[in-house]
Amino acid sequence: MHFEFILVYGNAVFLYGLGLVYFYYNAFHWAIKAFQEVLYVDPSFCRAKEIHLRLGLMFKVNTDYESSLKHFQLALIDCNPSTLSKVEIQFHIAHLYETQQKYHFAKEAYEQLLQTENLPAQVKASVLQQLGWMHHNVDLLGDKATKESYAIQYLQKSLEADPNSGQSWYFLGRCYSSIGKVQDAFISYRQSIDKSEASADTWCSIGVLYQQQNQPMDALQAYICAVQLDHGHVAAWTDLGTLYESCNQPQDAIKCYLNATRSKSCSNTSTLAGRIKFLQAQLCNLPQSSLQNKTKLLPSIEEAWSLPIPAELTSRQGAMNTAQKASKAHHPKTEPVLGLSQTAILQQSLPVHMISSSQVDGLSSPAKKKRTSSPIKHLEQLQTNKDNLNPAQKLRLEQLESNFVLMQQQNTLTLPHNCTNLTSSTEEPWRKQLYNSTQVLHKGQSSHLSGPNDEQPSLSTGPAQYLQAASTGIQKQTGPRTMPDNSVTQGAALNHLSSHIATSGGQQGPTFTKESQPSGNRSLMPETSRHAGDKSNGCVVVKGLSNHVQQLTVEPVCGPIQGDCTSPNLLISDSSHISASLTGKASDVVVTEACNKASNIHPAIHTKTNNSITSSSSSVIFTTTSFSKSTEQATTHSVTILNSLQNRLHTINREGLENLQSSKKPDLPVISLKPDPQIIPSLSMSIYSSSTEVLKACRNLGKNGLSNSHIFLDKCPPPRPPTSPYPPLPKDKLNPPTPSIYLENKRDAFFPPLHQFCINPKNPVTVIRGLAGALKLDLGLFSTKTLVEANNEHLVEVRTQLLQPADENWDPTGTKKIWRCESNRSHTTIAKYAQYQASSFQESLREENEKRMQHKEYSDNESAASDFSGKRRKGPFKTIKFGTNIDLSDDKKWKLQLHELTKLPAFVRVVSAGNILSHLGHSILGMNTVQLYMKVPGSRTPGHQENNNFCSVNINIGPGDCEWFVVPEDYWGVLNHFCEKNNLNFLMSSWWPNLEDLYEANVPVYRFIQRPGDLVWINAGTVHWVQAVGWCNNIAWNVGPLTACQYKLAVERYEWNKLQSVKSVVPMVHLSWNMARNIKVSDPKLFEMIKYCLLKVLKQCQTLREALITAGKEVIWHGRTSDEPAHYCSICEVEVFDLLFVTKESNSQKTYTVHCQDCARKTSGNLDNFVVLEQYKMEDLLQVYDQFTLVSEINMFLRYHPPPLDIAP
């Protein structure tokens, strides 16, 4: 973790600027952390909407779609100005549904967008493009003829709105191709090339058309164009191999298939490997003489790579001319559609992996150089070959020379590039599709970036350069570009932080790209049929930063905190081996007033600071290699990558923030917000202060602004995952024995040391063996048969999963181990699941009998086991269904079952005085109520910690066993890191740890079998995952021991959830006040933590109440009912205590749509649309606060164990 997060956690403006820099350099991991901390320390930050937009984009790229949707929705409700307009945010939300394959939601959202009045042309074009491509790809939208008809109509309308969209032309070509309109398809493809830079996808599709028209030579050259543009283009290599096979040239076909399998995006490796083996076997059976004397229909792959390629690949004029020729009607059988072997322009070299290492440096193809070289490199190449250039290349040379002169005038300092060999195979992703960026929504969108007098920011200075967003950043100076076929939406995917967030001087740096393939997963069949089966249009690989050193001169941006600001030069290095100190020079500083105005905070005093920072202990070094992790996307729906590192010196000054807010945020006279560092009333009061003293210290604070309420101490930084314990455990300690207690009778179960043993933090898990037998529990009450008889129509949540070995987790194809755990949700009834459970058992018996017959043929049992072990890794895996989260809270429906559980010891009961969760005052399903799980072998409960780190109790009903994997709470930070590394959300995603990864990181794993009647106690914060070994049912619930450790971990997770924008299932503020009412505490640590929580909340309530009264906002008494649950904000899902901001409409309808005060202000700046309801009288809260005192242990003992009365005779 970079130390600046810790040192300046309270400075929201600094963290915001830091997040923007990380965002610009595609360091999403660190940008997300910085932006989340801004929202944590100051939820009402003036640029919160911008933060939500960028978080939405980054989570979208990381395939965390739920988080992405939440942040886009938070941005949508915010009435403040931002980079994206409301309709653009709505477009992103619609595209997010499409990416998640929620096609009906996506279609409805797109169509709703089209009904918007005055919809910008570029947004309209993108929406129509997406609708057209969806109709082409998605079977759910109708039969093929109807779908294609709608698809063509939508795409034609899209082109009416934006005739220059190369992507729409390409999609239209695909549609025409799928219905057999070859000539129309070809014309559309050529239009695509004309309107945008050369695309490997387009050339691959042209090759398919040629192949279908029996023009193998033209098809060959089209495929060669595709693979020269993208050496890892799986579809083009596969189609080229198929072409060579059809021409009876197996040797060349094998080479093409091998190149396809070497690409990281290859998803049909096994199919291609089988084809390669078949062809190799054919070659072995052929005599050598026949191979040498055979006449070839096509040039070999080596010869084809060096053949002259068409001018269309490098000249737009050539593409225009040939498109005009192609527009003339040609009958495909009497005359070629278009000959690609007509104009010789450049000689291409072989791909790196097809030549020897000694030839690497000299054989880089011009097409590749065009994509990978910087403008300077390209300029040098053109100058070297000046005498051999065609007119288009000479024009390009003149443009580069003039741009170079301008660049030298603007930039007085450049840093050397530490470029690695561009032809190295490890650098392959960097040289792919440099110009394959997505189209942008750029027309008429620059108002939010204009200056104070509506002047547009100068492109030469690039004031907002570091704010460039995903899929945007293609300026008019560089011309429109196409995007790869696989990005469904990429012309529309991240279509769309507008291009007015411009690159300095209009220069386009190397673009982070993906390895694309036009048709998703390909098989060895003609492209027409494959295209019809496409379900996706996006497969993105986010690569790390290139190996360059960049220097940024950063102007200061001061926020509400008064004080000096300096303007250091930040040396940002992407190599972890580069170590340089923060250097700077004297700088005149003017404090920016942007955030101050937005929050009604007086601007800081203008200061002038002379600050020289040398290479001392105060130096700051950013090593981007460590935090710009590669995030390869396994999904086929994603977004285009952000514009990458520029190869120039860039100056970033405070105009970057000033220009972001040309439309000033309206004044908010009602309530103003201030960050915590300015208001620290806790300095004058402590948890031992009386309520009167607290109110006195809080008096008049509401008139000056509100501080944010966190249960943590004021001076503590935001919560962070723990680092791995040090020193690391030796390898022989990574499989510790599981703490187990064996019970023989009821007395053992109620023995007090058992309770102390279970809640001891040193024991992350305890297995209590034989509990059911010792207590004579009737487990038959929870059997499938009894459940069906009791309530056969009761609802069951079903998780569809893949049957896999318990200690492994493979991708669906069985080719590699992954952390992501497939688990799709649906619903059924107990009766239907019971039927499935029984049929699964019968099917297993049949399979077992078949295996027995097979085993008789094997003399060695080990060989049979080994054979099975090999098969299980190859996939595909069998699909199973897991019945989960069956609610047993209704004491009328499940009276017998719940009564049976009262036989348990008090510390594991669902309800008891010593259980914190029993003091909530309302039910939280599955936590302070019982849930049932119905399982078949292989049913998985993925890795997780319990909600808010509470303890859990799990009893196996049987008849089968369950296998458990447990990791101590101290190591949850390591697992969180692995989840981030694998693009998974630790809190929300389904994941199954790779044990090899854990052992390599020195993480201990407890592993044990839970048999019928065994109770598993999961201690606070313990990470665990479970797989059923046999057919069984389980019951489980949570408990909260009344200990300081439990409360501390619950509060930490409460704050961590807030930082991660995740709802806390347990309302800790509400719970803390109920605990103060109901419980006498003798543990000083527990008392201090609860009392501090009460103090913080009391201060916040009083301050907010004063602010509302001062602003003239009426607070209406509402009160609470006896079983009323705690309230959460309907927008951001944070807990709302005491003062509820409710929309007037919902208040009149008695539905009470609750908002927190931050979301209410974002929705309605002056709160005109809200009423404020009060649930507690301040006098009641003060009384609870004063009466909650520390009780001595002796008094506690006497209270619960009074001495017997001495009665005289």
Side-chain angles (χ1 to χ4, degrees):
M1 174 67 70
H2 285 117
F3 68 86
E4 67 270 13
F5 281 98
I6 299 175
L7 295 179
V8 294
Y9 72 89
N11 191 335
V13 176
F14 177 88
L15 287 172
Y16 176 59
L18 186 64
L20 291 174
V21 174
Y22 285 142
F23 179 84
Y24 174 73
Y25 285 105
N26 297 348
F28 293 166
H29 174 73
W30 293 101
I32 288 171
K33 288 182 181 296
F35 286 146
Q36 285 176 335
E37 296 203 1
V38 174
L39 297 176
Y40 180 84
V41 300
D42 187 3
S44 292
F45 183 63
C46 58
R47 307 306 297 165
K49 186 174 182 179
E50 287 293 335
I51 291 176
H52 286 303
L53 284 177
R54 283 159 172 77
L55 285 173
L57 294 170
M58 290 185 288
F59 282 126
K60 193 176 183 183
V61 171
N62 288 347
T63 68
D64 186 354
Y65 300 127
E66 295 301 325
S67 297
S68 177
L69 179 61
K70 182 170 185 177
H71 285 289
F72 280 137
Q73 289 173 335
L74 286 168
L76 188 62
I77 63 103
D78 198 328
C79 60
N80 296 309
S82 67
T83 306
L84 294 188
S85 65
K86 182 177 181 179
V87 291
E88 289 171 315
I89 299 173
Q90 289 175 316
F91 175 87
H92 273 291
I93 292 174
H95 172 255
L96 205 52
Y97 289 135
E98 182 184 353
T99 306
Q100 293 176 280
Q101 299 182 7
K102 297 178 179 178
Y103 298 117
H104 290 295
F105 286 107
K107 183 173 180 291
E108 183 180 345
Y110 284 137
E111 291 174 345
Q112 186 176 355
L113 257 177
L114 291 177
Q115 304 303 318
T116 305
E117 294 184 6
N118 301 321
L119 186 67
Q122 196 65 31
V123 179
K124 182 178 180 180
S126 297
V127 171
L128 290 166
Q129 181 190 90
Q130 291 313 114
L131 281 170
W133 189 241
M134 268 179 56
H135 278 82
H136 172 73
N137 278 321
V138 181
D139 294 335
L140 298 175
L141 298 182
D143 61 274
K144 179 176 173 58
T146 305
K147 289 194 307 111
E148 293 299 343
S149 175
Y150 276 115
I152 291 172
Q153 291 178 33
Y154 280 125
L155 290 169
Q156 288 174 339
K157 290 180 181 178
S158 176
L159 287 168
E160 291 175 6
D162 181 12
N164 295 319
S165 172
Q167 191 66 23
S168 293
W169 281 113
Y170 174 73
F171 288 162
L172 186 60
R174 287 283 293 272
C175 293
Y176 281 136
S177 177
S178 69
I179 60 176
K181 292 188 176 182
V182 177
Q183 191 66 32
D184 291 335
F186 188 85
I187 293 173
S188 297
Y189 289 148
R190 301 319 306 261
Q191 286 283 357
S192 175
I193 293 177
D194 172 37
K195 303 300 182 184
S196 56
E197 292 292 340
S199 163
D201 293 337
T202 307
W203 283 105
C204 181
S205 297
I206 291 174
V208 171
L209 283 181
Y210 281 135
Q211 190 171 350
Q212 291 172 347
Q213 298 305 307
N214 197 24
Q215 296 175 227
M217 188 61 192
D218 289 328
L220 170 69
Q221 289 199 281
Y223 291 140
I224 291 295
C225 289
V227 296
Q228 284 179 345
L229 284 166
D230 180 2
H231 287 175
H233 201 286
V234 178
W237 280 119
T238 304
D239 289 336
L240 186 53
T242 306
L243 177 65
Y244 273 123
E245 265 201 87
S246 67
C247 295
N248 199 21
Q249 294 178 225
Q251 290 175 315
D252 294 305
I254 290 173
K255 294 176 183 177
C256 295
Y257 292 149
L258 285 172
N259 279 300
T261 59
R262 286 168 181 157
S263 173
K264 292 181 179 179
S265 62
C266 183
S267 59
N268 58 339
T269 306
S270 58
T271 304
L272 291 175
R275 196 65 193 163
I276 291 169
K277 288 182 180 179
F278 174 77
L279 294 175
Q280 288 173 338
Q282 274 190 333
L283 288 175
C284 292
N285 296 330
L286 292 176
Q288 189 67 25
S289 57
S290 65
L291 292 174
Q292 295 175 349
N293 299 329
K294 188 174 69 172
T295 302
K296 295 182 177 180
L297 295 178
L298 293 175
S300 67
I301 183 64
E302 293 84 1
E303 294 168 344
W305 198 269
S306 302
L307 284 176
I309 67 171
E312 295 86 348
L313 188 61
T314 55
S315 169
R316 288 200 178 184
Q317 185 61 43
M320 191 178 299
N321 294 337
T322 53
Q324 291 171 353
K325 294 177 185 178
S327 64
K328 299 178 181 179
H330 290 294
H331 194 283
K333 293 185 178 179
T334 59
E335 186 174 355
V337 179
L338 181 67
L340 288 182
S341 55
Q342 297 172 358
T343 311
I345 297 297
L346 295 172
Q347 298 295 319
Q348 300 291 325
S349 62
L350 294 177
V352 175
H353 48 260
M354 298 175 60
I355 57 180
S356 64
S357 58
S358 61
Q359 297 173 296
V360 166
D361 291 336
L363 291 178
S364 294
S365 71
K368 181 183 71 179
K369 291 179 181 179
K370 179 181 179 181
R371 295 187 307 279
T372 58
S373 303
S374 67
I376 293 180
K377 292 277 188 181
H378 195 187
L379 175 61
E380 293 172 352
Q381 293 163 4
L382 292 176
Q383 288 175 336
T384 303
N385 300 305
K386 190 171 185 179
D387 297 335
N388 300 321
L389 301 180
N390 62 19
Q393 291 170 326
K394 289 180 180 178
L395 178 62
R396 177 62 175 161
L397 174 61
E398 293 176 2
Q399 293 174 345
L400 288 173
E401 287 176 339
S402 61
N403 288 343
F404 182 71
V405 172
L406 290 174
M407 183 270 295
Q408 285 184 318
Q409 294 172 352
Q410 295 168 7
N411 301 329
T412 59
L413 173 63
T414 58
L415 295 176
H417 302 295
N418 292 334
C419 295
T420 57
N421 188 349
L422 284 176
T423 59
S424 165
S425 61
T426 59
E427 290 293 318
E428 184 74 11
W430 284 99
R431 57 174 183 259
K432 288 189 190 132
Q433 305 169 2
L434 172 59
Y435 297 116
N436 283 353
S437 302
T438 114
Q439 299 169 352
V440 291
L441 303 174
H442 62 279
K443 297 179 181 179
Q445 299 296 322
S446 56
S447 62
H448 294 317
L449 284 184
S450 57
N453 299 317
D454 291 328
E455 302 123 2
Q456 298 301 316
S458 170
L459 291 178
S460 60
T461 58
Q465 177 186 13
Y466 67 111
L467 301 180
Q468 283 183 305
S471 82
T472 156
I474 306 299
Q475 285 74 10
K476 294 180 181 179
Q477 290 89 333
T478 60
R481 314 225 189 281
T482 64
M483 62 185 175
D485 165 33
N486 281 6
S487 43
V488 194
T489 56
Q490 306 209 37
L494 264 184
N495 201 342
H496 319 310
L497 284 182
S498 310
S499 63
H500 58 265
I501 308 181
T503 305
S504 176
Q507 298 170 3
Q508 175 64 28
T511 303
F512 289 75
T513 62
K514 66 183 184 72
E515 298 175 358
S516 66
Q517 60 182 68
S519 304
N521 299 337
R522 292 225 177 203
S523 59
L524 299 179
M525 60 180 73
E527 190 189 53
T528 302
S529 61
R530 287 194 301 267
H531 285 199
D534 288 351
K535 300 300 178 191
S536 68
N537 186 27
C539 179
V540 176
V541 176
V542 185
K543 293 298 179 183
L545 300 178
S546 61
N547 194 14
H548 299 288
V549 178
Q550 301 294 328
Q551 185 161 340
L552 307 178
T553 305
V554 184
E555 291 293 332
V557 180
C558 295
I561 302 174
Q562 299 182 1
D564 299 342
C565 293
T566 61
S567 178
N569 294 329
L570 303 183
L571 182 62
I572 300 183
S573 159
D574 358 288
S575 172
S576 58
H577 304 294
I578 298 175
S579 177
S581 61
L582 180 74
T583 57
K585 60 182 179 178
S587 173
D588 294 339
V589 177
V590 178
V591 177
T592 221
E593 299 181 9
C595 294
N596 299 351
K597 292 178 180 178
S599 296
N600 271 357
I601 300 172
H602 294 294
I605 301 172
H606 291 201
T607 60
K608 184 174 181 180
T609 306
N610 200 354
N611 185 25
S612 177
I613 306 177
T614 60
S615 54
S616 65
S617 60
S618 62
S619 64
V620 178
I621 303 169
F622 301 101
T623 31
T624 59
T625 295
S626 60
F627 58 75
S628 62
K629 63 185 180 78
S630 172
T631 54
E632 293 190 18
Q633 307 304 330
T635 65
T636 56
H637 293 281
S638 190
V639 276
T640 14
I641 307 313
L642 311 183
N643 287 329
S644 71
L645 193 59
Q646 299 294 317
N647 294 328
R648 297 288 178 273
L649 171 71
H650 300 307
T651 302
I652 300 174
N653 54 35
R654 75 169 177 269
E655 293 177 61
L657 282 181
E658 290 174 349
N659 290 335
L660 271 175
Q661 28 193 0
S662 59
S663 301
K664 295 183 180 179
K665 181 176 178 180
D667 291 336
L668 306 176
V670 177
I671 307 174
S672 62
L673 272 288
K674 287 189 177 184
D676 270 349
Q678 285 188 307
I679 305 171
I680 312 179
S682 54
L683 292 178
S684 58
M685 56 183 168
S686 72
I687 61 173
Y688 299 102
S689 302
S690 67
S691 60
T692 305
E693 294 171 332
V694 173
L695 288 184
K696 184 177 180 181
C698 293
R699 189 156 296 149
N700 297 325
L701 286 180
K703 298 178 180 179
N704 301 322
L706 301 178
S707 63
N708 301 303
S709 177
H710 302 303
I711 302 178
F712 273 2
L713 298 173
D714 285 330
K715 288 299 183 181
C716 286
R720 287 189 176 83
T723 57
S724 183
Y726 187 85
L729 292 174
K731 295 298 182 182
D732 61 347
K733 301 290 186 183
L734 298 182
N735 288 110
T738 303
S740 302
I741 305 293
Y742 293 82
L743 303 183
E744 295 181 358
N745 50 50
K746 184 176 181 180
R747 182 178 180 181
D748 292 344
F750 285 85
F751 191 46
L754 176 61
H755 177 202
Q756 298 303 319
F757 184 87
C758 288
I759 67 175
N760 188 338
K762 294 181 180 179
N763 298 323
V765 61
T766 302
V767 184
I768 304 179
R769 305 282 187 186
L771 177 76
L775 297 177
K776 294 181 173 55
L777 290 177
D778 184 4
L779 298 184
L781 291 171
F782 300 94
S783 67
T784 300
K785 180 182 178 182
T786 306
L787 295 171
V788 171
E789 293 172 352
N791 293 285
N792 62 341
E793 293 300 315
H794 199 67
L795 188 66
V796 177
E797 179 183 322
V798 175
R799 292 285 181 165
T800 302
Q801 302 172 335
L802 299 177
L803 176 60
Q804 303 202 46
D807 55 353
E808 297 174 350
N809 187 56
W810 297 81
D811 68 347
T813 63
T815 55
K816 63 178 180 178
K817 291 183 180 181
I818 59 174
W819 276 62
R820 186 178 298 276
C821 182
E822 299 295 332
S823 186
N824 300 315
R825 179 185 299 176
S826 60
H827 293 86
T828 187
T829 63
I830 286 182
K832 291 180 180 178
Y833 189 84
Q835 187 177 4
Y836 164 75
Q837 205 175 33
S839 63
S840 170
F841 181 72
Q842 295 296 329
E843 182 183 351
S844 177
L845 287 179
R846 288 194 300 269
E847 292 177 355
E848 190 67 27
N849 290 331
E850 292 174 3
K851 285 181 183 179
R852 287 175 184 171
M853 297 298 294
Q854 293 176 355
H855 279 212
K856 292 180 181 179
E857 301 174 5
Y858 293 95
S859 58
D860 185 358
N861 290 333
E862 284 189 3
S863 65
S866 174
D867 181 66
F868 175 75
S869 177
K871 286 183 180 178
R872 72 184 186 183
R873 286 169 172 79
K874 293 180 181 178
F877 298 100
K878 180 181 177 181
T879 299
I880 60 172
K881 297 183 184 298
F882 169 30
T884 184
N885 297 338
I886 305 169
D887 174 34
L888 303 186
S889 62
D890 191 335
D891 56 3
K892 293 181 181 179
K893 288 183 178 181
W894 309 104
K895 182 178 180 180
L896 294 176
Q897 287 78 6
L898 297 178
H899 181 265
E900 192 68 16
L901 297 180
T902 59
K903 296 179 181 179
L904 294 170
F907 78 97
V908 294
R909 285 181 196 159
V910 182
V911 179
S912 69
N915 180 358
I916 294 176
L917 295 174
S918 296
H919 297 278
L920 269 170
H922 64 274
S923 296
I924 299 179
L925 297 184
M927 292 207 67
N928 56 4
T929 66
V930 181
Q931 280 191 333
L932 175 79
Y933 306 89
M934 303 175 72
K935 304 178 181 180
V936 297
S939 296
R940 286 182 164 182
T941 301
H944 68 287
Q945 290 172 298
E946 295 296 321
N947 290 322
N948 287 91
N949 283 333
F950 278 91
C951 301
S952 75
V953 173
N954 186 295
I955 300 176
N956 185 6
I957 304 302
D961 299 337
C962 290
E963 185 168 11
W964 288 67
F965 301 84
V966 169
V967 169
E969 187 271 338
D970 294 342
Y971 292 88
W972 80 265
V974 180
L975 276 81
N976 178 72
H977 171 73
F978 276 119
C979 286
E980 291 177 341
K981 188 177 179 181
N982 289 275
N983 278 339
L984 294 166
N985 187 314
F986 177 81
L987 296 174
M988 304 299 291
S989 300
S990 293
W991 44 271
W992 193 266
N994 183 346
L995 294 180
E996 296 171 2
D997 291 342
L998 299 185
Y999 293 143
E1000 186 177 348
N1002 296 301
V1003 176
V1005 180
Y1006 294 82
R1007 184 175 179 177
F1008 60 92
I1009 297 294
Q1010 179 194 25
R1011 297 181 177 85
D1014 289 349
L1015 182 149
V1016 174
W1017 171 276
I1018 293 294
N1019 220 346
T1022 297
V1023 186
H1024 56 287
W1025 54 103
V1026 189
Q1027 177 157 321
V1029 177
W1031 290 263
C1032 62
N1033 293 346
N1034 290 68
I1035 53 174
W1037 58 91
N1038 291 102
V1039 294
L1042 197 58
T1043 64
C1045 177
Q1046 174 63 87
Y1047 186 83
K1048 174 177 176 291
L1049 290 176
V1051 168
E1052 286 178 352
R1053 180 48 48 90
Y1054 181 85
E1055 294 298 316
W1056 173 254
N1057 288 344
K1058 193 182 298 181
L1059 179 70
Q1060 298 294 312
S1061 298
V1062 172
K1063 180 180 179 179
S1064 280
V1065 176
V1066 181
M1068 290 304 298
V1069 172
H1070 173 84
L1071 177 59
S1072 298
W1073 281 93
N1074 279 359
M1075 290 172 65
R1077 289 185 184 93
N1078 303 335
I1079 299 174
K1080 297 297 182 181
V1081 177
S1082 61
D1083 182 348
K1085 291 183 179 179
L1086 177 60
F1087 168 78
E1088 289 175 0
M1089 286 187 287
I1090 297 174
K1091 191 77 170 183
Y1092 182 77
C1093 174
L1094 303 183
L1095 173 65
K1096 290 282 287 185
V1097 174
L1098 194 61
K1099 183 193 77 172
Q1100 180 70 8
C1101 290
Q1102 177 62 20
T1103 306
L1104 178 56
R1105 184 177 277 99
E1106 272 198 11
L1108 291 168
I1109 293 173
T1110 302
K1113 191 70 179 176
E1114 183 183 5
V1115 178
I1116 302 172
W1117 169 251
H1118 183 67
R1120 285 179 59 86
T1121 59
S1122 58
D1123 297 329
E1124 184 177 347
H1127 292 281
Y1128 292 85
C1129 175
S1130 60
I1131 304 297
C1132 67
E1133 297 185 306
V1134 300
E1135 183 185 358
V1136 183
F1137 182 77
D1138 187 23
L1139 298 175
L1140 312 180
F1141 292 77
V1142 177
T1143 59
K1144 288 184 176 179
E1145 181 182 0
S1146 67
N1147 185 56
S1148 62
Q1149 297 174 355
K1150 306 300 181 183
T1151 55
Y1152 304 116
T1153 303
V1154 177
H1155 291 62
C1156 66
Q1157 58 101 2
D1158 291 313
C1159 290
R1161 290 178 62 251
K1162 291 172 184 175
T1163 305
S1164 175
N1166 52 13
L1167 298 179
D1168 284 343
N1169 194 37
F1170 288 87
V1171 296
V1172 183
L1173 304 181
E1174 183 180 24
Q1175 290 206 300
Y1176 298 97
K1177 293 292 185 181
M1178 182 55 69
E1179 295 78 12
D1180 296 337
L1181 295 179
L1182 297 177
Q1183 183 180 8
V1184 172
Y1185 179 84
D1186 286 334
Q1187 290 180 354
F1188 183 65
T1189 57
L1190 183 64
V1191 180
S1192 68
E1193 292 187 10
I1194 296 178
N1195 290 339
M1196 283 286 289
F1197 181 83
L1198 293 176
R1199 176 174 178 174
Y1200 292 103
H1201 302 85
L1205 295 177
D1206 185 10
I1207 302 176

